[in-house]
């Protein structure tokens, strides 16, 4: 099974780097996205811990994958995210506060207005069920002869589910322009990958679907972007679907409602911190002369301000009026449901509390 | 106007709408080269080609999920599930995704798809081929559930289902696929998806049903007419959203109501209609609302399915109870 890594855990580069690695501005933009995503993640957890946010699924440690995906996609492509692909969503125009809104329990967190996020899917909570949607989306693209690609994201846990297999089993039949991106963060809540499957890799599941599968170091943003961009280009050029397994590690608990200390050893987590995607990328950028302490200081201030602004925007946004629960249910509310809406509306605002 | 069976009317509706709207595609197992196990999709492949008439692998979750993906891109997929018992793998996709995308994105996305499946028993089919799933879906917010009972209604309601901007589960009465013919005009006219049909008017009793059971219900009404009892017969047709206004107006006139469903009894759609009558129509009722239904058993295999299925005699037995309590004056 092919495995790609350019940057090791210390940020030392090896192999021939892709063309985009010569574009300093682009490289810095990738770094900014990773740092901002992590800062937003920290803020979300602290908001939850202080009772200002609902249960939150952290993407801590997986920032390189979302960043790589965001930069590998073109605007016209379609992202079908799972629920830790925040960086990719931010890159495509989802405002930071939407993630907070969503985990606060507000559907407007998924009402993306900016392109290209506007034509992307919202994050998906049920495991793997979003993956076969890509078959229909990509089929529509092919039917219309559009040069677009679908990036269908899921985690390691999703590769145990039938929905995942039903999708990868048929994608090649129609040579659909799909890249299946499996973020293998080693854990499906309390189940380590070794107890999820007897397969040596998750990438090899592509073989069953007759398509290429490969592994990449998902904590190496250069390698992940390169591998995804190559798979996306192949799909766009009619080369059909493929699967990329990005190896990473879930540094946080499954969600803020979970306590991973119950089922995994602390030294495993500490060892994973040594492979942190941001640390190694920063070291490499500095070694290349693309980054320094002054830039880091400026970014820290900028990102903090941006995250604070997002938190303020979220906290300052009141809930929709209660009758909004009816207003996007159907294109037009059926006659039979109008009295229910009226009853909710007549009771008025919910007041404080939940 | 040609006389068509119900399955021919379903076929005609798809031919008609695919010709009218290039965004309509059909998909499912064996629906292309084979023309569908019940022949609902015969001729579509030859006329509209393999890109719009999609033979899928034997994977019901995929069929539903693919329809969702297609529909989010502005296409109008009509997915066939071969038998009602095989709808269960679609429930996750239909309920967790198709029914929710519009709401959870606050209108940014939508799923204008149709899932068609035969529904109900009475054709001596193998196991898992005879279940009645209308309540499984009708209970779920964000969906429309349609159960036509005649060829003309199957044609008009299927057109409406395909044109509807939201997901529709379209449950065809398996037993009536070839039971009788009826003139069906290919006029492209859709029927309303939010209204019951008053099949025949009568002042003594309201009989309410849908799908295959409409056939027995009409026969029961004929028998009652011979006895001098005028039954008003209502074909619910669209179960969700439910047009209670038409049913309540009828019961206000007759004061008696019997509801006929093939599905298992507990928590079926007859119960929902009955509860609505208790809430909004109690004062016009002369007698309790009675339900004729399948039993709370697993759907029997072929040799005993007649023990389960409601029929004319069982309908008449419940009607007689109503008239014992509240005789015709
Ligand atoms: Mg995982």
């Amino acid at each position: 099974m092919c495995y790609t890594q350019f940057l090791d855990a210390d940020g030392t580069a090896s192999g021939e780097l892709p063309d985009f690695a010569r574009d300093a501005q682009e490289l810095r933009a990738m770094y900014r996205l990773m740092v901002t995503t992590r800062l937003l993640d920290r803020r979300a957890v602290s908001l939850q811990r202080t009772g200002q946010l609902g249960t939150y699924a952290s993407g801590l440690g997986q920032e390189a994958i979302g960043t790589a995906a965001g930069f590998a996609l073109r605007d016209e492509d379609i992202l079908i995210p799972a629920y830790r692909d925040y960086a990719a969503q931010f890159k495509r125009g989802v405002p930071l506060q939407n993630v907070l809104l969503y985990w606060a329990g507000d559907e407007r967190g998924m009402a993306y207005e900016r392109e290209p996020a506007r034509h992307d899917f919202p994050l998906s909570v049920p495991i793997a069920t979003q993956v076969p949607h890509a078959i229909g989306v990509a089929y529509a693209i092919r039917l219309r002869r559009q040069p677009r690609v679908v990036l269908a994201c899921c985690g390691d846990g999703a590769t145990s589910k039938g929905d995942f297999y039903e999708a990868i089993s048929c994608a090649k039949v129609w040579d659909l322009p799909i890249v299946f991106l499996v973020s293998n963060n080693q854990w499906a809540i309390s189940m380590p990958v070794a107890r999820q499957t007897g397969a040596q890799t998750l990438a090899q599941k592509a073989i069953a679907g007759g398509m290429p599968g490969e592994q990449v170091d998902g904590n190496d943003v250069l390698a992940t972007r390169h591998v995804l961009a190559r798979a996306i280009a192949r799909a766009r050029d009619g080369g059909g679907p493929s699967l990329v397994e990005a190896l990473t590690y879930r540094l946080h608990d499954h969600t803020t409602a979970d306590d991973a200390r119950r089922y995994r050893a602390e030294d495993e987590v500490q060892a994973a911190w040594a492979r942190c995607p941001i640390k190694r990328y920063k070291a490499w950028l500095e070694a290349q002369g693309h980054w320094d302490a002054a830039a880091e200081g400026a970014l820290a201030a900028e990102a903090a301000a941006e995250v604070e602004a997002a938190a303020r925007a979220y906290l300052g946004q009141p809930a929709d009026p209660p009758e909004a629960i009816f207003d996007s249910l159907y294109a037009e509310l059926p006659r039979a449901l109008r009295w229910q809406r009226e009853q909710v509306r007549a009771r008025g605002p919910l007041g404080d509390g939940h | 106007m040609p006389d068509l069976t119900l399955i021919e009317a379903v076929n005609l509706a798809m031919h008609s709408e695919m010709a009218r709207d290039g965004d309509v595609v059909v998909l499912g197992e064996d629906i292309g080269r084979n023309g569908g196990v019940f022949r609902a999709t015969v001729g579509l492949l030859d006329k509209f080609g393999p890109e719009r008439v999609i033979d899928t692998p034997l994977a019901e979750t995929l069929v539903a999920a693919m329809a969702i993906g297609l529909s989010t891109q502005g296409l109008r997929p009509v997915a066939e599930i071969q038998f009602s018992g095989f709808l269960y793998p679609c429930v996750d996709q239909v309920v967790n995704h198709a029914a929710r995308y519009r709401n959870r994105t606050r209108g940014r996305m939508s799923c204008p798809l149709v899932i068609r499946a035969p529904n109900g028993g009475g054709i001596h089919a193998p196991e898992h081929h005879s279940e009645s799933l209308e309540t499984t879906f009708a209970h779920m917010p964000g969906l429309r559930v349609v159960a036509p009972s005649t060829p003309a209604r199957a044609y008009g309601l299927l057109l409406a289902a395909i044109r509807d901007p939201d997901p529709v589960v379209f449950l065809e009465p398996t037993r009536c696929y070839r039971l009788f013919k009826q003139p069906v005009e290919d006029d492209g006219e859709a029927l309303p998806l939010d209204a019951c049909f008053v099949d025949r008017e009568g002042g003594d009793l309201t009989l309410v049903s849908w799908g295959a059971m409409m056939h027995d219900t009409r026969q029961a009404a004929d028998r009652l007419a011979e006895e001098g009892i005028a039954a008003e017969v209502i074909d619910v047709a669209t179960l969700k959203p439910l047009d209670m206004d038409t049913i309540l107006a009828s019961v206000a006139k007759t004061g008696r109501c019997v509801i006929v469903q093939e599905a298992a009894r507990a928590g079926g759609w007859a119960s929902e209609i009955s509860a609505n009558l208790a809430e909004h129509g109690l004062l016009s009722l002369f007698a309790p609302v009675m339900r004729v239904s399948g039993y709370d058993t697993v759907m029997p295999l072929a040799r005993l399915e007649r023990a389960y299925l409601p029929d004319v005699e069982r309908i008449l037995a419940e009607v007689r109870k109503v008239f014992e309590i509240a005789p015709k004056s």
Side-chain angles (χ1 to χ4, degrees), chain B residues 265-283:
Chain B
R265 190 171 185 80
W269 213 237
S271 309
E272 173 64 18
I273 293 169
S274 177
N276 273 284
L277 285 170
E279 285 174 345
H280 306 291
L282 187 66
L283 298 182

Side-chain angles (χ1 to χ4, degrees), chain B residues 72-130:
Chain B
T72 62
Q73 304 308 304
L75 293 171
R76 298 268 168 168
V78 182
E80 174 175 299
I81 298 297
Q82 285 184 338
F83 298 101
S84 56
F86 305 156
L87 270 167
Y88 290 108
C90 303
V91 171
D92 189 10
Q93 286 292 334
V94 172
V95 173
N96 274 328
H97 291 299
R100 292 173 72 112
Y101 265 131
R102 182 188 293 282
N103 183 65
R104 63 196 291 265
T105 62
R106 287 296 185 249
R108 181 171 66 84
M109 293 173 68
S110 61
C111 294
L113 61 83
V114 178
I115 296 198
R116 297 178 37 248
N119 195 48
I123 60 161
H124 310 293
E127 195 173 9
H128 301 290
H129 287 51
S130 302

Side-chain angles (χ1 to χ4, degrees), chain A residues 64-195:
Chain A
I65 300 174
T67 298
F71 277 83
L73 288 167
R74 288 190 191 164
D75 281 2
E76 63 267 31
D77 296 337
I78 296 176
L79 174 68
I80 304 183
Y83 54 78
R84 297 188 211 273
D85 300 305
Y86 303 123
Q89 296 193 284
F90 296 151
K91 173 68 169 66
R92 292 176 65 77
V94 174
L96 299 183
Q97 66 258 34
N98 278 49
V99 168
L100 302 176
L101 258 184
Y102 174 73
W103 291 105
D106 192 322
E107 288 84 352
R108 289 173 298 177
M110 295 179 282
Y112 319 138
E113 287 169 4
R114 282 184 228 153
E115 291 292 353
R118 222 182 98 74
H119 66 251
D120 286 344
F121 280 57
L123 55 75
S124 187
V125 167
I127 300 305
T129 53
Q130 77 280 12
V131 178
H133 297 173
I135 301 295
V137 175
Y139 194 96
I141 285 172
R142 230 200 44 169
L143 195 66
R144 291 174 168 152
R145 313 281 188 267
Q146 295 169 331
R148 306 168 76 187
V149 177
V150 183
L151 184 68
C153 304
C154 66
D156 49 285
T159 68
S160 294
K161 282 195 65 172
D163 301 65
F164 171 82
Y165 285 103
E166 290 193 21
I168 62 164
S169 178
C170 74
K172 179 66 187 170
V173 172
W174 292 303
D175 262 329
L176 296 175
I178 305 174
V179 176
F180 298 97
L181 170 57
V182 179
S183 290
N184 178 358
N185 68 6
Q186 312 300 327
W187 290 90
I189 307 189
S190 69
M191 285 295 278
V193 170
R195 289 175 62 205

